[in-house]
C-alpha cells in the first residue's frame, strides 16, 4: 500500500518506520530542504522515502496526519486537492490548557478535520496512548494484544485502517462513527493525565476482554 505521512515527529516517525518494515511504500511529505524531523526519521529508517507534500499525498492510498492539532488546517490546506478521496488517518489530538479538551468538548478534533478536508475519509486512530507505545507495541507475557480504538464514518476506510492496526501489533477495536471521536479524545486525555501528570507508566495500555 502507498502510505504518506504528514508529520513524522514523536508519533509519525515510529508509525512510518514500522509500516515500511511491514512492507508498505511509505513516503514522508517533506519540503526541501528536509527539516531536522525528516532527517531524523530517515536516519531511523533509510527505506522511508520523501517527496514534496502534494506529490506524496497524490500517490498515496492512505494519508497519516500526525501534526500538532493547531497545524491541521495549514497542513491539510496545502494538499487539499490531492487529499480528495483519500483515507485520512487522524492521529492528532486537540489539547487545551490544563490538559482540557482543546475544543471545549463541544466538537471533536476529528470532526473539525473532516470539515477542513470534506472529501476525505477521516478515521481517528493511534491517539489514545503516548508515542512510547508506537515505538514498541509488544507486551510480552500477556495472551491478549493491546487494543487500538478507532472510529470513522466510512466502513471501507475503517477496514483499511483496522488492517494497518493489526499489522502494527494491536487489536483493532472499532468504536463507531466519527461522532465517537470526542469520546476517544477524552480517553486520550485520561491517559495523558494518568501518565504525564500522574505516576502511571508511559507503557500503560488498554486491553479488551470479553466473555
Ligand atoms: N506525543 C504523543 O505521545 C502523542 C500521542 C498520540 C497522539 N499525539 C498527537 O499527535 C500529533 C503529533 O504529535 P507529536 O508528538 O508527534 O508532535 P511532534 O513530535 O512535534 O511532530 C510534529 C510533526 O508535524 C510537523 N508539522 C508541524 N506543522 C506542520 C505543518 N503546518 N504542515 C505539515 N507538517 C507540520 C512537524 O514537522 P517539522 O518538524 O518538520 O516542522 C513534525 O513532523 C499531535 O496532534 C498530538 O496531539 C501525540
Amino acid at each position: 500500500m502507498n502510505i504518506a505521512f504528514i508529520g513524522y515527529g514523536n508519533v509519525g516517525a515510529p508509525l512510518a518506520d514500522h509500516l515500511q518494515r511491514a512492507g508498505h511504500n511509505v513516503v514522508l511529505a517533506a519540503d526541501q530542504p528536509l527539516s531536522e524531523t525528516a532527517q531524523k526519521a530517515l536516519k531511523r529508517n533509510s527505506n522511508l522515502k520523501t517527496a514534496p507534500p502534494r506529490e506524496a499525498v497524490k500517490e498515496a492510498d492512505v494519508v497519516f496526519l500526525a501534526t500538532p492539532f493547531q497545524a491541521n488546517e495549514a497542513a491539510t490546506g496545502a494538499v487539499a486537492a490531492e487529499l480528495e478521496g483519500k483515507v485520512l488517518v487522524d492521529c492528532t489530538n486537540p489539547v487545551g490548557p490544563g490538559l482540557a479538551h482543546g475544543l471545549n468538548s463541544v466538537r471533536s478534533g476529528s470532526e473539525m478535520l473532516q470539515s477542513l478536508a470534506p472529501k476525505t475519509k477521516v478515521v481517528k486512530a493511534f491517539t489514545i496512548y503516548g508515542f512510547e507505545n508506537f515505538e514498541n507495541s509488544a507486551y510480552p507475557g500477556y495472551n491478549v494484544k493491546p487494543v487500538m480504538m478507532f472510529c470513522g464514518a466510512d466502513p471501507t476506510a475503517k477496514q483499511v485502517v483496522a488492517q494497518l492496526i493489526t499489522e502494527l501489533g494491536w487489536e483493532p477495536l472499532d468504536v463507531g462513527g466519527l461522532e465517537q471521536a470526542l469520546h476517544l479524545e477524552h480517553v486520550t486525555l485520561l491517559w495523558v493525565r494518568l501518565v504525564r501528570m500522574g505516576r502511571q507508566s508511559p507503557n500503560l495500555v488498554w486491553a479488551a476482554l470479553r466473555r
Side-chain angles (χ1 to χ4, degrees):
M1 190 177 290
N2 289 331
I3 302 176
F5 272 77
I6 305 175
Y8 23 81
N10 293 319
V11 169
L15 293 176
D17 177 12
H18 294 154
L19 286 168
Q20 191 285 324
R21 290 177 201 275
H24 298 287
N25 180 40
V26 180
V27 180
L28 310 179
D31 288 319
Q32 297 289 337
L34 295 181
S35 69
E36 204 176 303
T37 318
Q39 291 181 35
K40 208 167 147 191
L42 290 172
K43 201 167 164 194
R44 164 194 196 111
N45 181 342
S46 59
N47 290 320
L48 293 172
K49 295 174 188 153
T50 63
R54 292 178 61 184
E55 194 182 308
V57 171
K58 190 174 173 197
E59 297 302 321
D61 305 301
V62 176
V63 179
F64 277 68
L65 183 67
T67 48
F69 182 75
Q70 298 77 352
N72 284 0
E73 185 167 4
T76 54
V79 290
E82 292 76 15
L83 268 176
E84 284 190 13
K86 308 284 179 182
V87 176
L88 181 58
V89 184
D90 178 19
C91 305
T92 74
N93 280 313
V95 181
L99 295 181
H101 189 264
L103 300 172
N104 298 319
S105 305
V106 172
R107 186 188 190 197
S108 69
S110 296
E111 289 166 301
M112 179 182 262
L113 177 63
Q114 184 69 81
S115 64
L116 290 172
K119 294 187 179 163
T120 63
K121 299 161 194 165
V122 173
V123 178
K124 186 167 206 92
F126 305 106
T127 56
I128 56 174
Y129 310 119
F131 68 92
E132 296 87 342
N133 302 288
F134 306 144
E135 294 278 355
N136 180 359
S137 61
Y139 290 80
Y142 293 92
N143 63 3
V144 288
K145 290 192 171 176
V147 77
M148 180 56 69
M149 293 183 238
F150 66 104
C151 68
D154 187 283
T156 312
K158 287 204 289 190
Q159 268 176 18
V160 171
V161 176
Q163 176 60 33
L164 297 178
I165 289 172
T166 304
E167 290 175 20
L168 289 170
W170 308 86
E171 180 195 332
L173 180 59
D174 181 350
V175 300
L178 208 59
E179 70 281 1
Q180 292 283 68
L182 183 62
H183 305 299
L184 282 189
E185 289 166 11
H186 282 112
V187 170
T188 303
L189 289 170
L190 175 64
W191 187 97
V192 171
R193 283 164 170 261
L194 286 170
V195 174
R196 307 286 189 226
M197 289 171 82
R199 292 178 179 214
Q200 291 289 335
S201 160
N203 294 316
L204 170 75
V205 291
W206 327 112
L209 304 181
R210 303 173 182 85
R211 65 175 186 176

